[in-house]
Each structure stands twice: as structure tokens, then as C-alpha cells.
Amino acid sequence: MSRFALITRRTVVAAALLLGPGVRPGAAQSPGDALNADDGTGAVKVCSPVAMPRWRSMTPVPKTWTFLDCMGFSGEMGATHFQLGCLFANVTPHAQKYAWGAMVPIEKSAMAKAQPPVPNCGW
């Protein structure tokens, strides 16, 4: 199995776990549309709507999503805030396998405050 196929397979499994039992791994995107933002690290972009202090959601999103896509999606979900995140499959030993940007309120002024995570996976 090629390295890309293995990374894509891991991404599909991670996405299925994050999205819950209603999503079948067979229904995932094709390798050409993979959720990997960076094939070298196996990174997955994550949009996290938050309605403080009641709930938080984490949704793996396609690499084409932008800060504004996540903000719009979060607003449609009824959230008051959102965060941009990255989940990494391939990191050096003892490295953190996730990264989050700052929590941003959903408001008009937020459009000038993109808060990508560090390291960034394509936000």
C-alpha cells in the first residue's frame, strides 16, 4: 500500500470517528478530494463551532475551506464562537498531534481576525 493510500485511509477513519456513526467510511471523499490539507503530515482541517458554555462540535472539512467558510458554517449551526484546527497523523515522536487557533466570536468584525492554528494545515 502506498504512503498516500495509507494516509488517506487513516484520514477517512479519523473523519468517520469524528463525524459519528451516521457516516460510513465508504461514503468518504475520494483520494483526489481527500481531507488532507498536507499529505506529508496527514493533516486534516477541522472547523469547530462553539456555543459557550453549552456545546462544541468538531467537523473535518475539505482543504478548500477558508476562515469565512468555517465562520459561516458555525453561525448556521447556532454557535456563538468558532475555532480553526488541525489534526495530524504523521508527526515526530512526542510532538502534539493537534493544533487550535484562538476562539473567535461570530460577528462582523471577526472577518478581519483570522486565527489559524500553529502549525497551520492550510487555513
Side-chain angles (χ1 to χ4, degrees), residues 1-122:
M1 182 178 291
S2 74
R3 182 178 174 157
F4 178 76
L6 184 58
I7 290 169
T8 301
R9 186 174 191 189
R10 286 180 183 164
T11 301
V12 168
V13 170
L17 289 173
L18 286 171
L19 289 172
V23 177
R24 299 177 329 273
Q29 295 175 328
S30 69
D33 298 326
L35 294 172
N36 290 340
D38 177 8
D39 293 333
T41 61
V44 176
K45 289 171 81 168
V46 179
C47 175
S48 183
V50 180
M52 294 179 53
R54 299 180 314 250
W55 58 267
R56 168 189 290 270
S57 175
M58 289 185 6
T59 304
V61 298
K63 63 184 175 180
T64 58
W65 270 41
T66 67
F67 171 80
L68 294 176
D69 294 323
C70 183
M71 183 170 73
F73 172 74
S74 298
E76 290 290 325
M77 296 292 293
T80 57
H81 295 72
F82 68 102
Q83 277 183 295
L84 305 178
C86 298
L87 303 177
F88 301 99
N90 303 318
V91 295
T92 58
H94 311 294
Q96 192 164 297
K97 291 188 175 184
Y98 57 89
W100 291 104
M103 192 169 311
V104 179
I106 298 172
E107 57 189 29
K108 192 172 185 175
S109 65
M111 292 169 53
K113 298 180 191 173
Q115 298 289 330
V118 176
N120 189 355
C121 58

